[in-house]
Amino acid sequence: MSPPRPVVVIAVGNPSRGDDAIGPLLAARLEALDLPGVEVITDFQLAPEHALDLAGREKVIFVDAGEGTTAPFELRRIAARDDRSYTSHAMSPAAVLAAYERAVGGAPPEAWVLCVAGANFELGEPPSPAAAAGMEAAWPALRAALGR
């Protein structure tokens, strides 16, 4: 088994729920580049198990859509925080980092959140034009955050 790649991008969202597709769409675009040293993981939501995906990493970037996010996107560094968000549909990236500290021990990797503004999360709807514009605006920031 080969060692983990130094950078992991964990993109979350449901491709069938309008702007919630932002995370998976950016992940697919990133995977197509096949960047050396970068692993991309896509899931519907964050779970405690994602803490194990951080083992052996230098950096993690969580990518998601956000209601109430300042348009077009926010990119911010985060730290571990036990915010009690461990139930289905509620685990935060900071809580994943805290779970890493508890499960693996030691400090988690450098962590960032890229949140693209979303407004329409209806089942069966495509991403909104505003979400598409937000993804385009966020793309260079994501690439820069990867350092690759």
Side-chain angles (χ1 to χ4, degrees):
M1 188 165 156
S2 61
R5 295 179 187 174
V7 178
V8 63
V9 174
I10 301 177
V12 294
N14 184 337
S16 300
R17 296 191 70 88
D19 295 351
D20 203 30
I22 289 170
L25 288 170
L26 284 172
R29 187 171 176 183
L30 197 55
E31 281 184 309
L33 297 178
D34 194 26
L35 296 172
V38 177
E39 180 178 356
V40 180
I41 297 171
T42 305
D43 211 332
F44 282 98
Q45 60 198 21
L46 292 174
E49 295 83 355
H50 288 108
L52 300 177
D53 293 319
L54 307 183
R57 310 292 185 161
E58 296 171 11
K59 182 187 289 187
V60 57
I61 302 172
F62 297 94
V63 180
D64 198 2
E67 240 177 339
T69 299
T70 304
F73 70 91
E74 296 173 4
L75 177 63
R76 64 187 180 280
R77 185 143 184 205
I78 62 165
R81 189 178 79 242
D82 191 0
D83 60 13
R84 309 279 185 215
S85 62
Y86 57 85
T87 59
S88 179
H89 298 282
M91 192 161 198
S92 70
V96 172
L97 299 177
Y100 175 90
E101 288 179 335
R102 285 190 307 277
V104 178
E110 176 185 321
W112 295 81
V113 170
L114 174 67
C115 191
V116 179
N120 175 22
F121 296 87
E122 295 299 316
L123 185 61
E125 293 294 319
S128 68
M135 285 187 289
E136 286 306 311
W139 180 247
L142 176 58
R143 293 290 309 273
L146 290 169
R148 304 227 164 350

